[in-house]
Amino acid sequence: MTVIDSIKAVFSSSSSESTSTSTPHSNSTTTSTGPSSETLKPHPEGNAPAHPSNPDAKAVPEQAVLSDKPVFDQNKVTVIFVLGGPGAGKGTQCERLVADYGFKHLSAGDLLREERNRPGSTYGELITEYIREGKIVPQEVTIKLLENAMSSTLSSPPSSQNEAWSNGKGRFLIDGFPRKMDQALKFDESVVKSSFVLFFSTTEAILLERLLERGKTSGRDDDNKESIVKRFRTFVETSMPVVDYYRKLGKVVEIDSSPPIDVVYEKVRVEMDQRLGNLNSSSLDTTSQPQVPAASSNTTSTATRSNATGEAPILAPAV
């Protein structure tokens, strides 16, 4: 055997051994010359990216890549964030806004639950664990799900007769999002800049009562007292800074959701007519501070109502 042949034989043997031995981070011992079993597969276009096969992994896969510039034109696509503690009535009010104003309602929580239950979703266990613990799912997952849902809706508008959905335009209510500052900033940066925040506030006692009642029929595994308390704490600690951030920009409409549904909705309509009128009448520069309507009998702040009734708002520390 020549020297060259000997060298070739050594390299051939080394390569063979490396392909039959699993990597330190892989649970697979299957012979493979390709990527290890932990390598992520590209996700189909329009679907949420796949999560690593390791169910204990907390890191978001590299394929959950978000754009470094807005995907949608803010002059055509209106996004209103709808925030409030769990049980504040966000979903109920959104249903009415959809019927009266032609919005598309996207619930971040519903999208996550649908993805969790989708056959073949490798995100399922990750989402289940985060929801059960009352934690916030990694932002890349949630934002990508929202972006995909918006793209799907714009490609097949809910009403071609509605001016709000003509010529590539659209209007969205995004319920339960953003729940952290990084989500808010990343969505504005990579999807589209939001128009304003519709914030429903009430007392913690009312929220607990509503959720426990809902839990009797909802079938949701997070509608139990232990999970509810965790969700309260998570909301106050992580979501209220988001509300405060947008409030400083003059982009928060706060509604007391303690009264009956019809009463709350009348207040919502007053604010919505005012804000949508502003958005439709001019090309609003979102870097400037939009005018906040003066307080009236229909738009009195939650803080004023809470003091008048003697109830502590949701932000008040537990006594």
Side-chain angles (χ1 to χ4, degrees):
M1 179 181 294
T2 66
V3 174
I4 296 297
D5 290 336
S6 298
I7 294 174
K8 288 181 177 180
V10 170
F11 276 101
S12 176
S13 174
S14 175
S15 175
S16 175
E17 290 176 1
S18 65
T19 59
S20 62
T21 305
S22 62
T23 63
H25 300 290
S26 172
N27 292 326
S28 172
T29 58
T30 302
T31 301
S32 173
T33 57
S36 72
S37 62
E38 283 297 318
T39 302
L40 299 167
K41 298 178 181 179
H43 61 280
E45 187 66 28
N47 292 333
H51 192 268
S53 58
N54 180 2
D56 295 325
K58 295 298 188 297
V60 178
E62 292 182 358
Q63 275 81 355
V65 175
L66 301 174
S67 173
D68 58 358
K69 59 183 180 181
V71 174
F72 306 111
D73 183 352
Q74 70 184 74
N75 294 317
K76 290 187 174 182
V77 176
T78 299
V79 168
I80 298 173
F81 292 144
V82 183
L83 294 177
K90 301 183 294 295
T92 300
Q93 297 299 321
C94 283
E95 289 178 4
R96 297 194 172 197
L97 288 170
V98 168
D100 291 343
Y101 294 88
F103 281 99
K104 173 65 176 179
H105 175 210
L106 297 177
S107 166
D110 286 349
L111 288 174
L112 287 168
R113 282 183 283 274
E114 289 170 8
E115 177 65 17
R116 175 186 62 180
N117 298 327
R118 182 174 63 84
S121 171
T122 46
Y123 268 135
E125 292 187 42
L126 171 79
I127 295 173
T128 296
E129 178 181 347
Y130 273 80
I131 290 179
R132 183 188 303 119
E133 294 298 320
K135 299 176 182 177
I136 295 176
V137 174
Q139 66 166 342
E140 290 85 352
V141 176
T142 307
I143 294 176
K144 197 64 181 178
L145 288 173
L146 288 168
E147 179 191 323
N148 290 342
M150 291 174 67
S151 294
S152 177
T153 302
L154 289 168
S155 65
S156 300
S159 175
S160 59
Q161 304 300 318
N162 192 324
E163 176 64 23
W165 292 95
S166 64
N167 302 318
K169 293 188 293 185
R171 51 174 57 170
F172 296 88
L173 295 171
I174 299 186
D175 168 8
F177 179 93
R179 296 184 61 195
K180 294 199 316 183
M181 275 304 305
D182 58 350
Q183 290 182 344
L185 298 176
K186 191 61 181 177
F187 185 94
D188 280 354
E189 171 191 319
S190 65
V191 182
V192 67
K193 189 173 289 292
S194 57
S195 298
F196 62 91
V197 175
L198 185 59
F199 173 47
F200 293 100
S201 59
T202 184
T203 66
E204 187 170 314
I206 289 177
L207 297 181
L208 180 60
E209 179 183 356
R210 288 177 179 175
L211 290 177
L212 290 176
E213 182 62 29
R214 185 179 75 180
K216 296 176 181 179
T217 57
S218 69
R220 286 177 49 170
D221 54 12
D222 59 345
D223 276 348
N224 60 78
K225 189 169 184 178
E226 181 180 357
S227 291
I228 291 169
V229 170
K230 289 180 180 179
R231 290 157 65 194
F232 285 156
R233 300 282 75 79
T234 299
F235 178 79
V236 171
E237 294 169 4
T238 64
S239 298
M240 282 311 303
V242 175
V243 175
D244 293 338
Y245 167 76
Y246 284 111
R247 195 194 306 276
K248 291 177 181 177
L249 299 178
K251 295 175 63 175
V252 170
V253 172
E254 183 171 352
I255 303 291
D256 180 7
S257 64
S258 303
I261 294 172
D262 290 342
V263 175
V264 173
Y265 187 61
E266 284 306 310
K267 299 167 186 173
V268 172
R269 283 183 62 96
V270 169
E271 296 287 0
M272 195 63 67
D273 288 342
Q274 172 73 34
R275 293 296 176 124
L276 289 180
N278 287 343
L279 291 173
N280 293 333
S281 63
S282 62
S283 298
L284 190 62
D285 180 4
T286 54
T287 61
S288 64
Q289 296 186 8
Q291 182 178 358
V292 180
S296 66
S297 58
N298 288 328
T299 58
T300 306
S301 70
T302 300
T304 303
R305 286 195 191 89
S306 299
N307 291 336
T309 59
E311 294 183 351
I314 186 174
L315 304 186
V319 177

